[in-house]
Amino acid sequence: VIWLGLGFEFIEPIIRLNPIILAALGAPAIIKYSKEFTEAYIFENKFIAYGPCPSCGAENRVYFGNILGVEGFSDEAEFKCGNCKEK
């Protein structure tokens, strides 16, 4: 009961602020910490390389790194071209 009373006393002045102002004040911290979390835990060792297909010349992109603990390509990638379907 004390926690609820004290919590309301500290939060009550903030609740009366406009929600747009609260969002604007919290946006920089949310952006910063969400980027840090994403880079540290979701996309580890990220690197995106792109270049033309040797057969048809279409631009292809390859992701090197891990996504959510699933290991991806590390040094060399082998994949099928989206345009001509050759390896």
Side-chain angles (χ1 to χ4, degrees), residues 21-74:
I21 293 172
L22 286 177
L25 292 175
I30 291 170
I31 291 169
K32 178 186 177 205
Y33 291 119
S34 62
K35 278 182 129 178
E36 286 181 10
F37 178 79
T38 302
E39 292 174 358
Y41 298 108
I42 297 177
F43 298 110
E44 301 169 5
N45 305 324
K46 64 185 183 304
F47 180 73
I48 299 174
Y50 62 94
C53 173
S55 300
C56 67
E59 185 176 299
N60 292 302
R61 295 173 192 245
V62 181
Y63 179 80
F64 291 89
N66 303 333
I67 299 175
L68 288 173
V70 177
E71 293 184 14
F73 299 117
S74 58

Side-chain angles (χ1 to χ4, degrees), residues 3 9 19 27 61 78:
W3 174 256
E9 291 297 323
R61 295 173 192 245
E78 187 174 314

Side-chain angles (χ1 to χ4, degrees), residues 2 7-8 12-14 17 19-21 23 25 38 41 43 54-55 57 66 69 73 78-79 82 84-86:
I2 294 172
F8 181 75
E12 192 263 335
I14 297 171
L17 285 176
I20 296 173
I21 293 172
L25 292 175
T38 302
Y41 298 108
F43 298 110
S55 300
N66 303 333
F73 299 117
E78 187 174 314
F79 66 97
C84 65
K85 307 295 185 215
E86 286 193 32

